[in-house]
Amino acid sequence: ILCTVLCLQLCFTSTVASSMHTDPGLITYDAPAGSQRNDDYTIQVRKKGGTWQELFPYNAVNMNKGPDQDSTVTPLNNQTFAYFDSDFRQSIEVRVTRNKGSFRHVSIRPTSDGINFRQKGNSIIFYLDQPWMISIEFDHDIYHNLCLFANAVEKDPVSEGDPGVLSFGPGFHDA
């Protein structure tokens, strides 16, 4: 899955998020200053029946040779990723709107997880009841997909100053 490449970027991004919005059981984060936004999708989450919270759609550049591995040209593909944290005591409703054109087909991968969705206009809506790392692909386009990371809330998070903890404040860092 192409989302695997984004995990490292996600790990660094989530540690530098400037602030968070908490709703018991659902935590969303503002993007750090200077983050590159990808406007292909609008991603919103809420606890069932709650208020929609928009997730920041991060842009990730993927250098992928595509189906022709012998090609000397490596195209750059802009993909989108977003994330949130939840304790998943209640289902989390997710709404993804494709902002650029209509679509006829959607795959939520891995397909073996059997995440069902309903389509309403240019949006799909589905529910998550546990942590997932999924790829949402519109019209079989695996190069401009949305990777959504639905993370479990940490039970015993480390704190700045704990033994063996190296802390980076908000912002971008060359590590």
Side-chain angles (χ1 to χ4, degrees):
I1 253 181
L2 297 171
C3 292
T4 305
V5 175
L6 302 175
C7 285
L8 182 59
Q9 186 174 0
L10 173 66
C11 291
F12 286 113
T13 304
S14 64
T15 60
V16 298
S18 58
S19 65
M20 60 184 172
H21 306 278
T22 59
D23 176 5
L26 178 60
I27 304 170
T28 61
Y29 302 88
D30 290 333
S35 295
Q36 187 176 359
R37 181 182 190 91
N38 186 322
D39 288 322
D40 288 351
Y41 306 102
T42 299
I43 310 105
Q44 298 170 301
V45 294
R46 68 179 176 181
K47 291 191 314 185
K48 194 170 184 179
T51 302
W52 287 109
Q53 298 179 49
E54 188 166 336
L55 303 181
F56 185 84
Y58 291 90
N59 188 65
V61 178
N62 179 19
M63 295 172 51
N64 190 316
K65 289 189 182 277
D68 183 5
Q69 297 300 317
D70 296 326
S71 174
T72 57
V73 177
T74 303
L76 297 178
N77 303 300
N78 287 312
Q79 295 175 291
T80 307
F81 76 93
Y83 65 96
F84 67 92
D85 296 339
S86 177
D87 62 12
F88 293 98
R89 284 187 239 171
Q90 290 185 340
S91 290
I92 302 299
E93 187 175 7
V94 179
R95 179 168 57 195
V96 176
T97 302
R98 184 176 186 192
N99 296 327
K100 298 180 179 179
S102 60
F103 58 91
R104 297 179 60 123
H105 180 268
V106 176
S107 292
I108 299 179
R109 298 185 187 278
T111 55
S112 60
D113 291 336
I115 297 173
N116 296 313
F117 65 90
R118 72 179 194 277
Q119 182 176 345
K120 186 173 183 181
N122 260 18
S123 298
I124 61 168
I125 298 170
F126 56 93
Y127 292 91
L128 299 176
D129 59 2
Q130 66 184 40
W132 294 98
M133 292 190 308
I134 59 176
S135 172
I136 303 167
E137 301 159 7
F138 290 84
D139 290 332
H140 310 285
D141 185 355
I142 63 171
Y143 300 112
H144 302 95
N145 60 316
L146 165 63
C147 294
L148 181 62
F149 301 93
N151 303 308
V153 174
E154 287 188 71
K155 296 202 185 315
D156 294 313
V158 297
S159 297
E160 187 175 348
D162 284 353
V165 173
L166 178 61
S167 177
F168 294 88
F172 289 92
H173 304 276
D174 291 324

